[in-house]
Amino acid sequence: MTTDTFIQPFKSVANYFSRIGRDVTSVIERDPAARSKLEVMLVYSGLHAIWIHRITHWLWQRDIRFLARWFSQAARWLTGIEIHPGATIGPGFFIDHGMGVVIGETAEIGADVTLYHGVTLGGTSLNKGKRHPTIGDRVVIGAGAKVLGAIEIGADSRVGANAVVVKSVPENSVVVGVPGQNVRRSQPTPNIDLNHTSLPDILGVTLKELLQRVDELESRVEGHTDEHDHIHAPQDESWVGADFSI
Amino acid sequence: MTTDTFIQPFKSVANYFSRIGRDVTSVIERDPAARSKLEVMLVYSGLHAIWIHRITHWLWQRDIRFLARWFSQAARWLTGIEIHPGATIGPGFFIDHGMGVVIGETAEIGADVTLYHGVTLGGTSLNKGKRHPTIGDRVVIGAGAKVLGAIEIGADSRVGANAVVVKSVPENSVVVGVPGQNVRRSQPTPNIDLNHTSLPDILGVTLKELLQRVDELESRVEGHTDEHDHIHAPQDESWVGADFSI
Amino acid sequence: MTTDTFIQPFKSVANYFSRIGRDVTSVIERDPAARSKLEVMLVYSGLHAIWIHRITHWLWQRDIRFLARWFSQAARWLTGIEIHPGATIGPGFFIDHGMGVVIGETAEIGADVTLYHGVTLGGTSLNKGKRHPTIGDRVVIGAGAKVLGAIEIGADSRVGANAVVVKSVPENSVVVGVPGQNVRRSQPTPNIDLNHTSLPDILGVTLKELLQRVDELESRVEGHTDEHDHIHAPQDESWVGADFSI
């Protein structure tokens, strides 16, 4: 037995605990409700899920797969977060709240990624190969968003709450809607950007502008304006209910 | 020790149990599957979460914050519902099913509000001040909807299932879509309105009408109709699959 | 006591275990991450929920309703899946992942249906009669989708992730969006079709085409093209951020 074989397990354990330190720091940086390191370690289910995942992933890589999956299910029952032992996760990963998160076997997650509760990194192909997404560094994925298939979300992108993403998007994208419309940001953000509420209303804004353009075209072509027959663009951000019979 | 100091704890406890009575009545009024008071008290996770929240909120206000958060996490594990101890909740609050609900620290909820499972009242600012929504009286928020930021949902509004709301809406609004389109109701409803399935299809209906208007404009301007080249408004509520390659 | 009365319970139990066999086969056919029958039986929460539902449904039909609901709540706590004991479920039913699934009292589910996590088959009417959906054979419902009301989803249909369906759709439909837009498939699929990521972007594609048509109409009517003032259809699948102020 070489000294290396002897020392290796201790190194692994030391490494495991050093990453726990980074995890806790990640939470404190990204959640204004976090109050102290001890509290964070005890009450953040997202951390518990990641810590258990590091163990199940270690088992999975050593082909102790049944036990790995069983632990991963135990973690789901404890935390509401289901991470397949095969998933590859980078440093500084933060899952906030976390209930209902599902991360598939061939998902790959870069550094400093943030997921909120209800996020799925899923796959649907019956092929056993790569079938889950690859998430770039510093990506933030809003609550309830579903990212599906062997696609790539470019670094520094932001996925809005409840968006459904089924196509790859480049770096610095903002994806909104069901299915997701992709907007390239006018200027990249320097730091981690948790502002996933600043959602561009792509279809709504475009449709309102089109309504005005068609109104104008009609008045030109027909020589008069037609005020009452059509749905018109909302004046004060509210559409008029009578048009939609509610 | 004055008589008041002596009596106060008993008053608080009596008050606690009187509110439990109102909670149970709220469930029976709003869920047709509810069968008896005893059953409701034993099987409704939403009630258990609210009862534990009343305790954690009491602790939070008295600065026993670590214990408050720890109890709140225990409630999440028991019920699937995560209510921050700091959240302010009015009387007659009803959470149906509840799995995946997240209510943030500075959320404020009025009287007789109904939430379904998967609803988030969340915040994303890194600012520690008010960063979660204020929900007006009698608002109903459908399953999976995300209400994000320090915004206000006016009284008697209805938020559709899976909607994402990031802007304040006035009273009597109906919000639908991702991100949410807001419709002002033509007529307010007198009682609590659980009919969150009656969702106006704002963008779909508007787009169908626009397609017809542009068809007509083109036939006027170009002197002929063009039947085959464009996507046309659906005749029988179904869009034609060939246009979208499925 | 006739022989029949004596034999019946054994038949029921034998039948119960024979259906468990079919359940396990359903999982192996539809989840590429499934590795062995034993593993599937131990780690698939969806199976545990269905097995408990068969028992609670048996109790419910025999009017042992309090116990039925209590067991169903216990199953929710164990699995994150809430199936009302009254719901009627066909053979070959598969719930993948399952956290947050809610199936209502009067829901009816055909043969070989697949649900992902976060799916709701819900009702909102205060009427105690039929108020939840009827799901046809071989339907696949994507993660987070909400199907609401006493509507019918035709056989072989596919509901996209996070879609909200509040109207009946015919056989072979594909439903996408919030609220759901319905597309009739150009050609039915022969086998079970789990490809719920292939989502047609109905409103986005239609809107992009309309933008081009209105651009062209304007240049005809006004005699010149107007390059800078309007939102234009995206060239490379990304909308331009400046138009939406992000």
Side-chain angles (χ1 to χ4, degrees):
Chain A
M1 193 189 251
T2 66
T3 325
D4 251 29
T5 327
F6 186 73
I7 286 175
Q8 195 51 46
F10 293 95
K11 273 197 181 159
S12 297
V13 169
N15 188 34
Y16 185 82
F17 283 99
S18 100
R19 287 190 77 162
I20 283 186
R22 171 146 184 199
D23 294 335
V24 173
T25 318
S26 299
V27 172
I28 291 187
E29 277 169 13
R30 292 182 238 170
D31 184 356
R35 299 186 318 119
S36 75
K37 286 198 177 188
L38 182 67
E39 189 184 282
V40 164
M41 290 182 70
L42 286 174
V43 306
Y44 277 73
S45 304
L47 286 183
H48 305 158
I50 297 165
W51 296 339
I52 299 174
H53 171 73
R54 296 232 179 88
I55 296 167
T56 67
H57 189 60
W58 187 93
L59 292 169
W60 186 260
Q61 287 180 314
R62 276 146 195 83
D63 261 331
I64 311 169
R65 301 205 155 179
F66 188 93
L67 198 66
R69 286 214 72 181
W70 197 86
F71 277 170
S72 139
Q73 277 306 105
R76 175 187 182 276
W77 177 76
L78 272 172
T79 65
I81 297 167
E82 182 177 342
I83 310 179
H84 193 286
T88 310
I89 295 180
F93 185 45
F94 175 38
I95 302 176
D96 205 358
H97 309 299
M99 184 67 64
V101 163
V102 174
I103 300 177
E105 179 180 350
T106 65
E108 294 161 85
I109 299 175
D112 298 311
V113 167
T114 307
L115 302 190
Y116 286 87
H117 48 291
V119 166
T120 296
L121 307 181
T124 54
S125 148
L126 287 178
N127 176 350
K128 285 198 191 265
K130 169 80 173 168
R131 61 191 185 281
H132 301 98
T134 298
I135 309 296
D137 298 343
R138 294 171 300 283
V139 166
V140 177
I141 306 186
K146 311 287 184 274
V147 184
L148 302 172
I151 64 177
E152 197 170 335
I153 305 297
D156 298 296
S157 291
R158 189 148 54 88
V159 176
N162 281 359
V164 175
V165 192
V166 294
K167 282 181 184 172
S168 292
V169 297
E171 297 189 359
N172 279 303
S173 296
V174 176
V175 190
V176 180
V178 183
Q181 304 292 327
N182 172 29
V183 186
R184 193 78 65 89
R185 294 199 216 202
S186 9
Q187 36 197 354
T189 43
N191 299 315
I192 290 178
D193 174 16
L194 296 183
N195 191 10
H196 62 135
T197 64
S198 165
L199 299 179
D201 176 15
I202 301 166
L203 300 186
V205 166
T206 305
L207 200 52
K208 287 172 197 169
E209 205 200 73
L210 254 187
L211 281 170
Q212 289 162 343
R213 289 169 69 186
V214 170
D215 275 1
E216 207 172 298
L217 266 171
E218 284 177 345
S219 78
R220 284 222 190 199
V221 169
E222 303 175 12
H224 63 92
T225 53
D226 179 2
E227 290 288 336
H228 303 292
D229 291 306
H230 301 305
I231 298 170
H232 288 288
Q235 300 295 317
D236 59 346
E237 310 246 327
S238 284
W239 299 78
V240 180
D243 290 333
F244 306 97
S245 55
I246 51 171
Chain B
M1 193 190 253
T2 67
T3 324
D4 251 28
T5 326
F6 186 72
I7 285 176
Q8 195 51 47
F10 294 95
K11 274 197 180 160
S12 296
V13 169
N15 189 33
Y16 185 81
F17 284 99
S18 100
R19 287 190 78 163
I20 283 186
R22 172 149 183 196
D23 294 335
V24 173
T25 318
S26 300
V27 172
I28 291 186
E29 278 169 14
R30 290 181 238 172
D31 185 356
R35 297 185 321 119
S36 76
K37 287 198 177 186
L38 183 67
E39 188 184 283
V40 163
M41 291 182 69
L42 286 173
V43 305
Y44 277 73
S45 303
L47 287 183
H48 306 159
I50 297 164
W51 297 340
I52 299 174
H53 172 72
R54 297 233 179 87
I55 296 168
T56 66
H57 189 60
W58 188 92
L59 292 168
W60 185 259
Q61 287 179 314
R62 276 145 196 86
D63 260 332
I64 311 169
R65 302 208 154 177
F66 188 93
L67 198 64
R69 287 214 72 181
W70 196 86
F71 277 171
S72 140
Q73 276 306 105
R76 174 187 183 277
W77 177 75
L78 272 172
T79 66
I81 296 167
E82 182 177 342
I83 310 179
H84 193 286
T88 311
I89 295 179
F93 184 46
F94 176 37
I95 302 176
D96 205 358
H97 310 298
M99 184 66 66
V101 163
V102 174
I103 300 177
E105 179 179 350
T106 65
E108 295 161 84
I109 298 174
D112 298 310
V113 167
T114 306
L115 302 191
Y116 286 87
H117 48 291
V119 166
T120 297
L121 307 180
T124 53
S125 149
L126 287 178
N127 176 349
K128 285 197 190 269
K130 169 80 172 168
R131 63 189 184 282
H132 300 99
T134 298
I135 309 296
D137 298 343
R138 294 171 301 283
V139 166
V140 176
I141 306 186
K146 312 286 183 274
V147 184
L148 302 173
I151 63 176
E152 198 171 334
I153 306 297
D156 298 295
S157 292
R158 188 148 54 87
V159 176
N162 281 358
V164 175
V165 193
V166 294
K167 283 183 183 171
S168 292
V169 297
E171 296 188 0
N172 279 303
S173 295
V174 176
V175 189
V176 179
V178 183
Q181 303 292 327
N182 172 30
V183 185
R184 192 77 66 90
R185 294 198 217 203
S186 9
Q187 36 197 354
T189 43
N191 299 315
I192 289 177
D193 174 15
L194 295 183
N195 191 10
H196 62 135
T197 64
S198 166
L199 299 179
D201 176 15
I202 300 166
L203 300 187
V205 167
T206 305
L207 199 52
K208 286 171 197 170
E209 206 200 73
L210 254 187
L211 280 170
Q212 289 162 342
R213 290 167 69 186
V214 170
D215 276 0
E216 208 172 298
L217 266 172
E218 283 177 345
S219 79
R220 283 222 190 200
V221 169
E222 304 175 12
H224 63 92
T225 52
D226 179 2
E227 291 289 336
H228 303 292
D229 291 306
H230 301 306
I231 297 170
H232 288 288
Q235 300 296 317
D236 59 346
E237 309 246 328
S238 284
W239 300 78
V240 180
D243 289 334
F244 306 99
S245 56
I246 51 169
Chain C
M1 195 188 252
T2 67
T3 326
D4 250 30
T5 327
F6 186 73
I7 285 175
Q8 195 51 47
F10 294 95
K11 272 198 182 159
S12 298
V13 169
N15 189 33
Y16 185 81
F17 283 99
S18 100
R19 286 190 79 163
I20 283 187
R22 171 147 183 196
D23 294 336
V24 173
T25 318
S26 301
V27 172
I28 290 186
E29 278 168 14
R30 292 182 236 170
D31 185 355
R35 299 185 319 119
S36 75
K37 286 198 177 188
L38 182 68
E39 189 184 283
V40 163
M41 291 182 69
L42 285 173
V43 306
Y44 276 74
S45 304
L47 287 184
H48 305 158
I50 297 165
W51 296 340
I52 299 173
H53 171 73
R54 295 233 180 86
I55 296 168
T56 67
H57 189 60
W58 188 92
L59 293 168
W60 185 260
Q61 287 180 315
R62 275 145 197 85
D63 260 331
I64 312 169
R65 302 208 154 177
F66 188 93
L67 198 65
R69 288 213 71 181
W70 197 87
F71 278 169
S72 139
Q73 277 307 105
R76 175 186 182 276
W77 177 76
L78 273 171
T79 66
I81 296 168
E82 182 176 343
I83 309 179
H84 193 285
T88 310
I89 295 180
F93 184 46
F94 175 38
I95 302 177
D96 204 359
H97 309 298
M99 184 66 66
V101 163
V102 174
I103 300 176
E105 180 179 350
T106 65
E108 293 161 85
I109 298 175
D112 298 311
V113 167
T114 307
L115 303 190
Y116 286 86
H117 49 291
V119 166
T120 297
L121 306 180
T124 54
S125 149
L126 288 178
N127 176 351
K128 284 196 192 267
K130 169 80 174 169
R131 60 190 186 282
H132 301 98
T134 297
I135 309 296
D137 298 344
R138 294 171 301 281
V139 166
V140 176
I141 307 186
K146 311 287 184 273
V147 184
L148 301 173
I151 63 176
E152 198 170 332
I153 306 297
D156 298 295
S157 292
R158 189 147 54 89
V159 176
N162 282 358
V164 175
V165 192
V166 294
K167 283 182 183 171
S168 291
V169 297
E171 296 189 358
N172 279 304
S173 296
V174 176
V175 190
V176 180
V178 182
Q181 304 292 326
N182 171 29
V183 185
R184 191 79 65 89
R185 293 199 217 199
S186 9
Q187 36 198 355
T189 42
N191 299 314
I192 290 179
D193 174 16
L194 296 183
N195 191 10
H196 63 133
T197 64
S198 166
L199 299 178
D201 176 16
I202 300 166
L203 300 186
V205 167
T206 305
L207 200 51
K208 287 171 197 170
E209 206 201 72
L210 254 187
L211 281 170
Q212 289 162 342
R213 289 168 69 186
V214 170
D215 275 1
E216 207 172 299
L217 266 172
E218 284 177 345
S219 78
R220 284 222 189 200
V221 169
E222 304 175 12
H224 64 93
T225 52
D226 180 2
E227 290 289 337
H228 303 292
D229 291 306
H230 301 305
I231 297 170
H232 288 289
Q235 300 295 317
D236 58 346
E237 311 245 327
S238 284
W239 299 78
V240 181
D243 290 333
F244 307 99
S245 56
I246 51 170

